[in-house]
Amino acid sequence: MEHKQLRCFVMVAETLHFGRAVRQMDMVPASFGRQIRLLEEHLGCRLLERTTRHATLTPAGAEFRSGAREIVDRTNALATAFREGRNTPTPILRVGAIDSAALGLTPQLLPRFREAHPEFDVELMEQKTIRLPLRFLCGRLDLTVVRAPETADLALAFRYLFHETAVVAMPAGHRLAQRTWSTPTEVVHPLG
């Protein structure tokens, strides 16, 4: 069970609305839902009943809410007291990442950064590629990990970390399966 999962649960338990909770947590809906699902899987029970318009607490969710709220409040208070009690504020590196990078790439890179720069705290924000550069340009992020845009904003500098390769899966007996490569047109219009 992770602190982020508890924070997401507490937010939706208080608002009883996934959309509002997602906006208040400034997360991507899929990532927010994944945090709730992981928490429920860890606990072995459903905490929320969801519809497209609202969420309601299950009996287990109602029972879990007050303890989760207490943990979130205590960790927030501890972090605040710790930061205020230090002579110099801890520098924070604010990193934005698309969901695939937040799950796959940043867990590989952040431990290396923390090892090299233990004086920094790292805040990770998961968002869509279209929103992250704007948050960077307005000063809310220090760097972002995004997919390369078709047209780059001249105010930004992009550094490629790696290139992804797209693949197509098909039945072994398919006529294109015997080839070593296919064009996008062949895949989109396989009968042509």
Side-chain angles (χ1 to χ4, degrees):
M1 180 168 35
E2 296 180 11
H3 186 255
K4 187 172 188 177
Q5 295 168 359
L6 291 176
R7 287 179 56 228
C8 290
F9 169 73
V10 167
M11 188 61 67
V12 78
E14 290 178 353
T15 62
L16 295 178
H17 192 278
F18 264 78
R20 281 193 290 268
V22 165
R23 284 189 297 278
Q24 288 182 14
M25 293 287 294
D26 201 15
M27 292 177 69
V28 176
S31 174
F32 186 90
R34 184 173 55 247
Q35 295 299 321
I36 298 294
R37 189 174 59 254
L38 289 170
L39 178 62
E40 289 176 329
E41 287 173 6
H42 178 77
L43 296 173
C45 64
R46 295 209 26 106
L47 301 172
L48 298 160
E49 294 296 335
R50 307 153 177 87
T51 68
T52 55
R53 300 210 178 263
H54 69 283
T56 57
L57 292 168
T58 64
E63 181 182 341
F64 189 72
R65 177 180 48 191
S66 64
R69 161 73 16 219
E70 182 180 334
I71 291 169
V72 169
D73 288 345
R74 289 183 71 194
T75 55
N76 289 343
L78 176 63
T80 300
F82 184 75
R83 284 189 180 121
E84 289 174 356
R86 297 182 77 182
N87 292 338
T88 56
T90 302
I92 298 173
L93 177 68
R94 298 163 304 165
V95 178
I98 57 174
D99 57 352
S100 60
L103 288 173
L105 184 62
T106 54
Q108 297 173 41
L109 298 177
L110 289 181
R112 291 180 186 171
F113 177 81
R114 286 185 175 121
E115 185 177 306
H117 301 282
E119 71 278 12
F120 276 85
D121 280 344
V122 178
E123 290 180 0
L124 179 63
M125 172 189 282
E126 195 174 326
Q127 268 296 351
K128 295 186 182 297
T129 294
I130 196 167
R131 292 185 181 158
L132 288 171
L134 298 173
R135 292 176 189 276
F136 174 79
L137 288 171
C138 72
R140 293 179 66 191
L141 294 172
D142 298 309
L143 65 95
T144 65
V145 180
V146 297
R147 287 188 179 86
E150 289 181 24
T151 54
D153 186 324
L154 297 178
L156 299 171
F158 291 90
R159 300 291 179 265
Y160 289 90
L161 298 174
F162 60 89
H163 294 278
E164 293 179 312
T165 302
V167 297
V168 176
M170 62 191 77
H174 192 278
R175 68 178 180 81
L176 295 178
Q178 306 310 312
R179 297 179 59 185
T180 57
W181 60 273
S182 296
T183 67
T185 305
E186 290 175 314
V187 174
V188 174
H189 303 290
L191 301 177

